[in-house]
Amino acid sequence: MGVTFNQKEQQFVFDFEHDGKDDIVSLTGNGYQVEAFGKCFYYGYEFSDQVDGAVRTAFIKHVKFSERLQDNQDLTQFIKKAVDNLNRRINLYDYNLVVMPESSSQVNQYMLRYIYRFAQPSLYKMELVKALPSSISFDMDAYEQQYLDDVLENGRPRYTQAQKEEVKQSIRQMIDLIHKKDYFTIAKDVKKSRFRPYIMHFLKFASEDDKELCRQIRRQNVLIVDDVTTSGSTLNEILRTLRILNEDNDIRVFSLIGRKDLMADAL
């Protein structure tokens, strides 16, 4: 199936039976599974290469923020197709926990309800919520190991101690500024920053009960779900939050709309 954009009517047209050369987004085929975040990442749809940024943004808004999603047959069928495809690949009946980020979009909740049609009755749902800006921190140790401690071909350090200290000071000043901002300003400011992989604690467990549940679930199948993945920062932060408590589980990641080249941004 595919989706086209009618320029004259300024609306999206869904065709659940045919693919076409003018499709802006298509149900994924062989490229459905990629390695990202060190995990197996699945996605339902991918934008065509020829789609410009304006149309892509308009479609994402159409999917995420349409009013009364449950009454929109095109969008609900669009979501169901992707989840059906996912179920054929991984068998959702085998999953014990679904984790998702807090979102103003209705898509995640609709996907969850549809996933329950396949999964066993004991499937748990957990939502991670946005943390206070003051909770955000920077993984300086990892940044030093991967960048500041780099050496040249002759074995000499790439950076002097003074240069390292200058960079560290800049990072500390950046984190101080982040602590004074609101969450949405932070998300916008750091989304494409080269420091993004090292900025931590954007998300937290909604309750202590959720945190304890995650700690107790061991060696079971966990599915992380999100509606649209562009930079991968939200999914990566969910994984980091879960890993703090438990690394024994088999974790899979699913996004309704994703990208084959996500791995480059996730590193």
Side-chain angles (χ1 to χ4, degrees):
M1 65 140 303
V3 179
T4 55
F5 181 61
N6 185 318
Q7 289 280 2
K8 183 177 180 180
E9 300 293 332
Q10 289 291 294
Q11 64 182 16
F12 297 100
V13 181
F14 292 75
D15 186 339
F16 294 101
E17 302 298 330
H18 308 96
D19 293 323
K21 61 181 180 62
D22 295 326
D23 289 347
I24 65 167
V25 67
S26 300
L27 190 68
T28 55
N30 294 332
Y32 189 76
Q33 174 184 327
V34 296
E35 282 294 321
F37 321 106
K39 298 294 179 183
C40 198
F41 173 59
Y42 302 91
Y43 53 97
Y45 300 92
E46 184 180 38
F47 285 107
S48 302
D49 293 336
Q50 71 270 17
V51 180
D52 65 49
V55 173
R56 187 185 299 111
T57 299
F59 184 72
I60 289 174
K61 289 181 178 178
H62 178 69
V63 171
K64 293 183 65 164
F65 302 115
S66 289
E67 294 184 6
R68 297 190 62 80
L69 171 64
Q70 66 272 21
D71 296 332
N72 189 320
Q73 293 187 357
D74 283 339
L75 287 182
T76 54
Q77 184 69 2
F78 182 78
I79 294 170
K80 289 176 181 178
K81 281 274 190 180
V83 176
D84 287 342
N85 204 0
L86 176 68
N87 182 57
R88 285 192 288 271
R89 297 295 296 261
I90 67 173
N91 189 8
L92 290 167
Y93 182 82
D94 292 336
Y95 282 75
N96 310 96
L97 175 66
V98 174
V99 181
M100 60 182 61
E102 178 186 41
S103 175
S104 56
S105 164
Q106 303 175 56
V107 175
N108 284 351
Q109 295 298 331
Y110 189 87
M111 284 197 291
L112 178 67
R113 288 198 298 271
Y114 194 63
I115 287 170
Y116 270 109
R117 296 169 60 100
F118 301 97
Q120 42 186 314
S122 59
L123 180 73
Y124 293 101
K125 171 245 183 175
M126 182 183 297
E127 193 171 45
L128 296 181
V129 300
K130 298 176 181 65
L132 292 173
S134 57
S135 301
I136 292 172
S137 62
F138 191 89
D139 190 345
M140 192 70 79
D141 290 340
Y143 188 74
E144 281 190 80
Q145 291 174 13
Q146 295 189 34
Y147 288 97
L148 297 184
D149 292 341
D150 192 24
V151 296
L152 302 172
E153 292 182 3
N154 60 11
R156 294 180 61 186
R158 181 177 294 276
Y159 304 105
T160 66
Q161 194 61 37
Q163 289 173 324
K164 290 182 182 181
E165 289 303 320
E166 184 178 351
V167 171
K168 290 180 183 180
Q169 181 60 25
S170 296
I171 291 172
R172 285 191 285 267
Q173 291 174 351
M174 176 187 68
I175 296 299
D176 286 342
L177 288 174
I178 284 176
H179 289 166
K180 299 173 183 177
K181 294 187 175 184
D182 63 82
Y183 183 89
F184 295 102
T185 303
I186 296 167
K188 182 179 178 181
D189 287 349
V190 305
K191 186 175 182 180
K192 296 183 179 179
S193 168
R194 63 189 176 94
F195 296 124
R196 179 61 188 90
Y198 306 94
I199 300 177
M200 305 183 300
H201 303 140
F202 271 74
L203 300 174
K204 65 177 183 178
F205 293 97
S207 68
E208 285 300 316
D209 288 342
D210 279 354
K211 191 173 183 178
E212 185 60 28
L213 173 64
C214 181
R215 183 182 285 112
Q216 292 176 357
I217 291 180
R218 300 284 180 179
R219 292 180 293 278
Q220 297 190 37
N221 296 328
V222 176
L223 179 66
I224 298 175
V225 173
D226 200 12
D227 45 24
V228 178
T229 299
T230 52
S231 68
S233 58
T234 298
L235 294 178
N236 206 12
E237 183 63 25
I238 291 175
L239 278 166
R240 287 198 290 197
T241 304
L242 296 181
R243 285 193 198 110
I244 292 172
L245 298 180
N246 188 348
E247 292 196 18
D248 296 335
N249 294 319
D250 179 10
I251 298 177
R252 305 293 177 97
V253 185
F254 175 75
S255 179
L256 182 64
I257 302 175
R259 291 167 39 199
K260 291 178 184 175
D261 62 344
L262 181 66
M263 189 60 176
D265 288 337
L267 289 174

